[in-house]
Amino acid sequence: MLDLFLQMLDDASITFATGERKNLSRFYTVFTSNIGSSEVMRMTSAPMATVERTVLSRVGQQLRPELVGRITEKLVFARLGFDTQREICELMIDREKSPPA
């Protein structure tokens, strides 16, 4: 998997098992992760700067430096509040309960 990410970041392209090659130079590549999330869940009153430092520290520990060094922007999102989580769940339940269009 690391080789695939490095290929995407270095060459701005990806080669599939079929030999087909796709140019990614005009695209943004977004990687998401839950690295550090278990620690963040326990940090209920910590300021966002502390959360960011913790998460980025874990990223540096868990991913190889040659991958982390090639990632231009590293963003840490704030945890969703309970009310927002509840609203998302209610919307998802309503969607499942409604008949297909």
Side-chain angles (χ1 to χ4, degrees):
M1 188 62 76
L2 176 65
D3 292 335
L4 175 66
F5 290 144
L6 291 175
Q7 178 186 12
M8 290 170 64
L9 295 170
D10 282 345
D11 301 335
S13 67
I14 185 170
T15 305
F16 296 99
T18 60
E20 180 184 12
R21 187 174 177 89
K22 294 288 184 181
N23 182 351
L24 303 174
S25 63
R26 297 184 337 181
F27 296 91
Y28 288 100
T29 304
V30 178
F31 303 102
T32 62
S33 167
N34 62 356
I35 294 174
S37 62
S38 60
E39 282 183 72
V40 170
M41 293 304 289
R42 293 189 298 270
M43 301 172 73
T44 56
S45 61
M48 189 59 187
T50 302
V51 171
E52 288 177 349
R53 276 194 306 275
T54 300
V55 169
L56 294 176
S57 172
R58 294 297 168 264
V59 167
Q61 292 170 0
Q62 293 190 16
L63 299 178
R64 292 178 40 188
E66 59 267 32
L67 177 59
V68 175
R70 287 177 173 85
I71 299 172
T72 307
E73 295 287 332
K74 298 168 194 76
L75 304 173
V76 177
F77 293 97
R79 183 178 54 211
L80 296 176
F82 177 77
D83 291 339
T84 305
Q85 292 178 43
R86 184 180 185 100
E87 183 179 348
I88 292 168
C89 288
E90 288 172 355
L91 290 169
M92 293 176 75
I93 290 169
D94 288 344
R95 186 175 1 158
E96 289 298 317
K97 291 184 345 185
S98 65

